[in-house]
Amino acid sequence: MRKQIAAANWKMNCTFQQGEKLLCEILDADIKLADHQLTIFAVPYPYLLMTRSEVEEEWNYVAAAQNCHHKKAGAYTGEVSAEMLHSMNINYCIVGHSERREYNQETNAMLAAKVDLCFENYITPIFCCGEPLAIREAGTQNHFVAAQLKESLFHLPAEKIKQLVIAYEPIWAIGTGKTASTEQAQEMHRFLRSVIAAQYGEAIADEIPILYGGSVKANNAKEIFGCPDVDGGLVGGASLVGADFIEIIKALK
Ligand code: PGA
């Protein structure tokens, strides 16, 4: 069975103390995850060790980084490498979030390098893709998103790509309170799976969890996660409210 994932993306929010409190509130709800379910907390770098130790005893709760650098090591002040994350026992990392693509000029080629460095360091990349509003309005979203996959992922061998997690984030739905309709989400997730299938075959495409991101809330998670090709969510705003994220975890299939 394909993994079903609730991934919190705290972005640049929460003080250390607020973060600890939020984690405790969520873990205290004591939601037991099945083997195929996973909850991920993508927290700011300085909170990674605290988060890792909070979730240590919990089955299928893990800490993740929100980014890593596209170079192995060297004179890049302020940056964090995949190797550093691995050395701290961090096994998941978001790669290519739309905010980083936009504010940090991350290109598909840079993201291909990040994905490789993650794999070299035993880190599962949560690879983000998704189209801006203008592309959606022009009706060329399929072409746009397929190019993101091809340029950043399709150099990978089959045994690597099947370990990946993909997050589809329509940029027009992030932090805006607008969600894609379940039809729009399902349609795009199905399309992404078909693009992977064309390159790597159906069996591999079927194994890859594809998360939906973009204003997932406590009151819409169940409906969105209910789509056959949606395997959970990458959640920003609602992951900062304990009670809401608890409901989102419970909405996993
Ligand atoms: P949002 O963010 O849930 O606040 O829309 C989603 C994301 O960017 O991961």
Side-chain angles (χ1 to χ4, degrees):
M1 192 174 183
R2 208 153 57 217
K3 274 228 172 332
Q4 306 291 310
I5 301 172
N9 177 12
W10 289 5
K11 309 189 181 183
M12 197 173 75
N13 291 298
C14 293
T15 62
F16 188 80
Q17 291 75 13
Q18 289 165 339
E20 266 188 317
K21 193 161 163 264
L22 179 58
L23 276 176
C24 289
E25 186 183 343
I26 294 164
L27 297 173
D28 281 350
D30 207 22
I31 307 163
K32 299 282 180 243
L33 299 178
D35 285 355
H36 70 281
Q37 295 173 329
L38 183 67
T39 293
I40 296 176
F41 295 102
V43 300
Y45 291 132
Y47 307 170
L48 279 170
L49 284 186
M50 175 275 285
T51 304
R52 204 201 64 196
S53 83
E54 290 289 348
V55 299
E56 214 143 48
E57 307 277 288
E58 311 288 337
W59 176 248
N60 281 355
Y61 286 80
V62 298
Q66 297 175 9
N67 178 43
C68 65
H69 199 253
H70 60 283
K71 293 279 172 58
K72 209 174 159 69
Y76 302 100
T77 302
E79 297 294 346
V80 172
S81 70
E83 187 181 28
M84 291 173 187
L85 297 174
H86 172 57
S87 71
M88 294 162 70
N89 266 326
I90 298 300
N91 304 320
Y92 288 85
C93 181
I94 298 176
V95 170
H97 190 279
S98 60
E99 285 149 18
R100 296 206 55 89
R101 290 176 186 260
E102 183 180 351
Y103 307 136
N104 300 77
Q105 288 76 45
E106 294 190 352
T107 62
N108 290 342
M110 279 161 76
L111 301 177
K114 291 191 191 209
V115 165
D116 287 344
L117 284 166
C118 282
F119 278 124
E120 273 172 39
N121 289 286
Y122 311 94
I123 293 168
T124 300
I126 302 163
F127 178 81
C128 300
C129 59
E131 79 285 358
L133 185 60
I135 297 281
R136 172 62 66 166
E137 285 176 345
T140 53
Q141 66 273 12
N142 285 7
H143 177 78
F144 184 89
V145 176
Q148 290 180 320
L149 295 194
K150 284 180 191 151
E151 290 172 27
S152 300
L153 301 179
F154 282 8
H155 62 290
L156 292 169
E159 76 270 12
K160 286 280 185 297
I161 196 140
K162 71 180 186 190
Q163 294 171 34
L164 193 88
V165 175
I166 291 178
Y168 167 60
E169 302 205 293
I171 299 172
W172 45 273
I174 295 181
T176 58
K178 267 190 208 162
T179 20
S181 67
T182 44
E183 291 75 25
Q184 285 171 321
Q186 169 57 24
E187 198 183 352
M188 180 55 92
H189 283 229
R190 182 96 286 266
F191 172 73
L192 291 171
R193 218 178 283 291
S194 75
V195 173
I196 299 166
Q199 183 78 10
Y200 293 96
E202 295 274 348
I204 285 177
D206 260 357
E207 276 189 53
I208 300 178
I210 307 182
L211 316 184
Y212 170 81
S215 298
V216 174
K217 305 286 176 212
N219 61 10
N220 63 16
K222 193 124 205 140
E223 192 187 349
I224 298 171
F225 298 176
C227 298
D229 284 288
V230 175
D231 306 306
L234 179 57
V235 187
S239 75
L240 300 171
V241 180
D244 289 1
F245 196 61
I246 288 169
E247 289 309 310
I248 291 170
I249 300 172
K250 287 183 183 162
L252 286 175
K253 281 187 279 210

